[in-house]
mmCIF file of all heavy atoms in Angstrom:
data_model
loop_
_atom_site.group_PDB
_atom_site.id
_atom_site.type_symbol
_atom_site.label_atom_id
_atom_site.label_comp_id
_atom_site.label_asym_id
_atom_site.label_seq_id
_atom_site.Cartn_x
_atom_site.Cartn_y
_atom_site.Cartn_z
ATOM 1 N N CYS A 1494 177.913 45.454 101.709
ATOM 2 C CA CYS A 1494 179.309 45.150 101.391
ATOM 3 C C CYS A 1494 180.207 45.504 102.574
ATOM 4 O O CYS A 1494 181.074 46.382 102.469
ATOM 5 C CB CYS A 1494 179.762 45.882 100.133
ATOM 6 S SG CYS A 1494 179.419 47.660 100.150
ATOM 7 N N PRO A 1495 179.994 44.851 103.735
ATOM 8 C CA PRO A 1495 180.789 45.187 104.914
ATOM 9 C C PRO A 1495 182.209 44.642 104.805
ATOM 10 O O PRO A 1495 182.475 43.687 104.089
ATOM 11 C CB PRO A 1495 180.024 44.484 106.041
ATOM 12 C CG PRO A 1495 179.395 43.303 105.374
ATOM 13 C CD PRO A 1495 179.039 43.772 103.990
ATOM 14 N N GLN A 1496 183.115 45.285 105.557
ATOM 15 C CA GLN A 1496 184.484 44.787 105.623
ATOM 16 C C GLN A 1496 184.509 43.539 106.484
ATOM 17 O O GLN A 1496 183.994 43.519 107.599
ATOM 18 C CB GLN A 1496 185.383 45.876 106.219
ATOM 19 C CG GLN A 1496 186.837 45.459 106.329
ATOM 20 C CD GLN A 1496 187.681 46.570 106.923
ATOM 21 O OE1 GLN A 1496 187.232 47.707 107.031
ATOM 22 N NE2 GLN A 1496 188.899 46.248 107.317
ATOM 23 N N ALA A 1497 185.107 42.499 105.998
ATOM 24 C CA ALA A 1497 185.104 41.213 106.702
ATOM 25 C C ALA A 1497 186.032 41.241 107.914
ATOM 26 O O ALA A 1497 187.073 41.884 107.900
ATOM 27 C CB ALA A 1497 185.536 40.108 105.752
ATOM 28 N N ASP A 1498 185.624 40.562 108.989
ATOM 29 C CA ASP A 1498 186.437 40.404 110.180
ATOM 30 C C ASP A 1498 186.815 38.935 110.302
ATOM 31 O O ASP A 1498 185.946 38.063 110.386
ATOM 32 C CB ASP A 1498 185.657 40.864 111.418
ATOM 33 C CG ASP A 1498 186.504 40.818 112.686
ATOM 34 O OD1 ASP A 1498 187.646 40.326 112.615
ATOM 35 O OD2 ASP A 1498 186.013 41.264 113.734
ATOM 36 N N PHE A 1499 188.117 38.665 110.340
ATOM 37 C CA PHE A 1499 188.597 37.283 110.360
ATOM 38 C C PHE A 1499 188.116 36.531 111.592
ATOM 39 O O PHE A 1499 187.896 35.322 111.557
ATOM 40 C CB PHE A 1499 190.135 37.283 110.315
ATOM 41 C CG PHE A 1499 190.734 35.904 110.312
ATOM 42 C CD1 PHE A 1499 190.755 35.139 109.155
ATOM 43 C CD2 PHE A 1499 191.289 35.365 111.467
ATOM 44 C CE1 PHE A 1499 191.298 33.869 109.147
ATOM 45 C CE2 PHE A 1499 191.834 34.100 111.472
ATOM 46 C CZ PHE A 1499 191.847 33.351 110.304
ATOM 47 N N PHE A 1500 187.920 37.271 112.722
ATOM 48 C CA PHE A 1500 187.588 36.613 113.985
ATOM 49 C C PHE A 1500 186.085 36.513 114.229
ATOM 50 O O PHE A 1500 185.660 35.970 115.234
ATOM 51 C CB PHE A 1500 188.241 37.371 115.154
ATOM 52 C CG PHE A 1500 189.741 37.387 115.081
ATOM 53 C CD1 PHE A 1500 190.414 38.501 114.613
ATOM 54 C CD2 PHE A 1500 190.480 36.273 115.461
ATOM 55 C CE1 PHE A 1500 191.793 38.507 114.541
ATOM 56 C CE2 PHE A 1500 191.861 36.274 115.390
ATOM 57 C CZ PHE A 1500 192.528 37.391 114.930
ATOM 58 N N GLN A 1501 185.263 37.038 113.347
ATOM 59 C CA GLN A 1501 183.812 36.991 113.542
ATOM 60 C C GLN A 1501 183.185 36.074 112.508
ATOM 61 O O GLN A 1501 183.390 36.235 111.310
ATOM 62 C CB GLN A 1501 183.197 38.386 113.446
ATOM 63 C CG GLN A 1501 181.676 38.370 113.666
ATOM 64 C CD GLN A 1501 181.166 39.721 114.094
ATOM 65 O OE1 GLN A 1501 181.862 40.482 114.754
ATOM 66 N NE2 GLN A 1501 179.925 40.028 113.731
ATOM 67 N N THR A 1502 182.404 35.134 112.984
ATOM 68 C CA THR A 1502 181.767 34.170 112.092
ATOM 69 C C THR A 1502 180.521 34.777 111.471
ATOM 70 O O THR A 1502 179.906 35.698 112.053
ATOM 71 C CB THR A 1502 181.379 32.896 112.859
ATOM 72 O OG1 THR A 1502 180.398 33.239 113.852
ATOM 73 C CG2 THR A 1502 182.596 32.285 113.548
ATOM 74 N N PRO A 1503 180.095 34.302 110.311
ATOM 75 C CA PRO A 1503 178.856 34.802 109.699
ATOM 76 C C PRO A 1503 177.645 34.619 110.593
ATOM 77 O O PRO A 1503 176.720 35.430 110.586
ATOM 78 C CB PRO A 1503 178.743 33.970 108.418
ATOM 79 C CG PRO A 1503 180.138 33.527 108.123
ATOM 80 C CD PRO A 1503 180.802 33.341 109.447
ATOM 81 N N GLN A 1504 177.643 33.550 111.400
ATOM 82 C CA GLN A 1504 176.508 33.302 112.290
ATOM 83 C C GLN A 1504 176.363 34.398 113.337
ATOM 84 O O GLN A 1504 175.258 34.830 113.674
ATOM 85 C CB GLN A 1504 176.668 31.941 112.979
ATOM 86 C CG GLN A 1504 176.488 30.739 112.071
ATOM 87 C CD GLN A 1504 177.711 30.489 111.177
ATOM 88 O OE1 GLN A 1504 178.789 31.054 111.427
ATOM 89 N NE2 GLN A 1504 177.543 29.657 110.158
ATOM 90 N N THR A 1505 177.516 34.881 113.844
ATOM 91 C CA THR A 1505 177.481 35.960 114.836
ATOM 92 C C THR A 1505 176.906 37.227 114.235
ATOM 93 O O THR A 1505 176.086 37.922 114.855
ATOM 94 C CB THR A 1505 178.891 36.235 115.373
ATOM 95 O OG1 THR A 1505 179.438 35.027 115.913
ATOM 96 C CG2 THR A 1505 178.872 37.303 116.446
ATOM 97 N N ASP A 1506 177.316 37.529 113.018
ATOM 98 C CA ASP A 1506 176.834 38.723 112.338
ATOM 99 C C ASP A 1506 175.331 38.637 112.085
ATOM 100 O O ASP A 1506 174.594 39.609 112.273
ATOM 101 C CB ASP A 1506 177.583 38.891 111.013
ATOM 102 C CG ASP A 1506 177.193 40.169 110.288
ATOM 103 O OD1 ASP A 1506 177.311 41.251 110.879
ATOM 104 O OD2 ASP A 1506 176.749 40.080 109.131
ATOM 105 N N ILE A 1507 174.851 37.480 111.673
ATOM 106 C CA ILE A 1507 173.419 37.291 111.423
ATOM 107 C C ILE A 1507 172.617 37.468 112.704
ATOM 108 O O ILE A 1507 171.555 38.105 112.721
ATOM 109 C CB ILE A 1507 173.172 35.895 110.805
ATOM 110 C CG1 ILE A 1507 173.755 35.840 109.394
ATOM 111 C CG2 ILE A 1507 171.684 35.574 110.789
ATOM 112 C CD1 ILE A 1507 173.735 34.461 108.777
ATOM 113 N N LYS A 1508 173.113 36.914 113.818
ATOM 114 C CA LYS A 1508 172.413 37.033 115.099
ATOM 115 C C LYS A 1508 172.315 38.498 115.539
ATOM 116 O O LYS A 1508 171.281 38.938 116.049
ATOM 117 C CB LYS A 1508 173.135 36.211 116.167
ATOM 118 C CG LYS A 1508 172.941 34.707 116.027
ATOM 119 C CD LYS A 1508 173.645 33.964 117.150
ATOM 120 C CE LYS A 1508 173.421 32.461 117.027
ATOM 121 N NZ LYS A 1508 174.122 31.709 118.111
ATOM 122 N N GLU A 1509 173.395 39.258 115.330
ATOM 123 C CA GLU A 1509 173.378 40.670 115.714
ATOM 124 C C GLU A 1509 172.346 41.443 114.905
ATOM 125 O O GLU A 1509 171.605 42.272 115.451
ATOM 126 C CB GLU A 1509 174.766 41.283 115.522
ATOM 127 C CG GLU A 1509 175.773 40.899 116.594
ATOM 128 C CD GLU A 1509 177.043 41.716 116.489
ATOM 129 O OE1 GLU A 1509 177.112 42.595 115.609
ATOM 130 O OE2 GLU A 1509 177.963 41.478 117.294
ATOM 131 N N ARG A 1510 172.287 41.171 113.623
ATOM 132 C CA ARG A 1510 171.320 41.887 112.769
ATOM 133 C C ARG A 1510 169.890 41.510 113.140
ATOM 134 O O ARG A 1510 168.993 42.357 113.131
ATOM 135 C CB ARG A 1510 171.598 41.577 111.303
ATOM 136 C CG ARG A 1510 172.941 42.106 110.828
ATOM 137 C CD ARG A 1510 173.037 42.099 109.318
ATOM 138 N NE ARG A 1510 174.356 42.503 108.862
ATOM 139 C CZ ARG A 1510 174.673 42.770 107.608
ATOM 140 N NH1 ARG A 1510 173.736 42.679 106.669
ATOM 141 N NH2 ARG A 1510 175.893 43.135 107.259
ATOM 142 N N GLN A 1511 169.666 40.243 113.436
ATOM 143 C CA GLN A 1511 168.328 39.805 113.847
ATOM 144 C C GLN A 1511 167.927 40.462 115.168
ATOM 145 O O GLN A 1511 166.765 40.848 115.353
ATOM 146 C CB GLN A 1511 168.294 38.282 113.963
ATOM 147 C CG GLN A 1511 168.361 37.557 112.623
ATOM 148 C CD GLN A 1511 168.424 36.050 112.774
ATOM 149 O OE1 GLN A 1511 168.785 35.533 113.845
ATOM 150 N NE2 GLN A 1511 168.077 35.323 111.720
ATOM 151 N N LEU A 1512 168.904 40.580 116.093
ATOM 152 C CA LEU A 1512 168.626 41.231 117.373
ATOM 153 C C LEU A 1512 168.239 42.688 117.167
ATOM 154 O O LEU A 1512 167.251 43.170 117.732
ATOM 155 C CB LEU A 1512 169.858 41.139 118.273
ATOM 156 C CG LEU A 1512 169.782 41.921 119.600
ATOM 157 C CD1 LEU A 1512 168.660 41.384 120.476
ATOM 158 C CD2 LEU A 1512 171.118 41.873 120.328
ATOM 159 N N MET A 1513 168.990 43.405 116.336
ATOM 160 C CA MET A 1513 168.699 44.814 116.096
ATOM 161 C C MET A 1513 167.369 44.993 115.360
ATOM 162 O O MET A 1513 166.637 45.950 115.615
ATOM 163 C CB MET A 1513 169.834 45.453 115.294
ATOM 164 C CG MET A 1513 171.128 45.657 116.068
ATOM 165 S SD MET A 1513 170.963 46.855 117.419
ATOM 166 C CE MET A 1513 170.699 45.762 118.813
ATOM 167 N N LYS A 1514 167.056 44.063 114.471
ATOM 168 C CA LYS A 1514 165.773 44.140 113.763
ATOM 169 C C LYS A 1514 164.608 43.957 114.738
ATOM 170 O O LYS A 1514 163.615 44.696 114.699
ATOM 171 C CB LYS A 1514 165.702 43.086 112.657
ATOM 172 C CG LYS A 1514 164.431 43.183 111.800
ATOM 173 C CD LYS A 1514 164.430 42.156 110.692
ATOM 174 C CE LYS A 1514 163.214 42.342 109.778
ATOM 175 N NZ LYS A 1514 161.938 42.334 110.489
ATOM 176 N N ALA A 1515 164.733 42.990 115.644
ATOM 177 C CA ALA A 1515 163.691 42.777 116.644
ATOM 178 C C ALA A 1515 163.584 43.990 117.569
ATOM 179 O O ALA A 1515 162.482 44.405 117.949
ATOM 180 C CB ALA A 1515 163.999 41.514 117.447
ATOM 181 N N PHE A 1516 164.716 44.568 117.910
ATOM 182 C CA PHE A 1516 164.768 45.764 118.757
ATOM 183 C C PHE A 1516 164.000 46.919 118.115
ATOM 184 O O PHE A 1516 163.153 47.561 118.746
ATOM 185 C CB PHE A 1516 166.246 46.117 118.963
ATOM 186 C CG PHE A 1516 166.501 47.291 119.852
ATOM 187 C CD1 PHE A 1516 166.570 47.149 121.227
ATOM 188 C CD2 PHE A 1516 166.698 48.555 119.313
ATOM 189 C CE1 PHE A 1516 166.823 48.243 122.047
ATOM 190 C CE2 PHE A 1516 166.943 49.649 120.120
ATOM 191 C CZ PHE A 1516 167.015 49.484 121.497
#
Side-chain angles (χ1 to χ4, degrees):
C1494 51
Q1496 180 180 347
D1498 184 354
F1499 181 78
F1500 298 101
Q1501 181 158 329
T1502 64
Q1504 289 77 14
T1505 304
D1506 184 56
I1507 292 172
K1508 286 182 179 179
E1509 284 190 2
R1510 295 194 185 190
Q1511 289 176 340
L1512 173 63
M1513 288 294 97
K1514 185 178 185 305
F1516 182 85

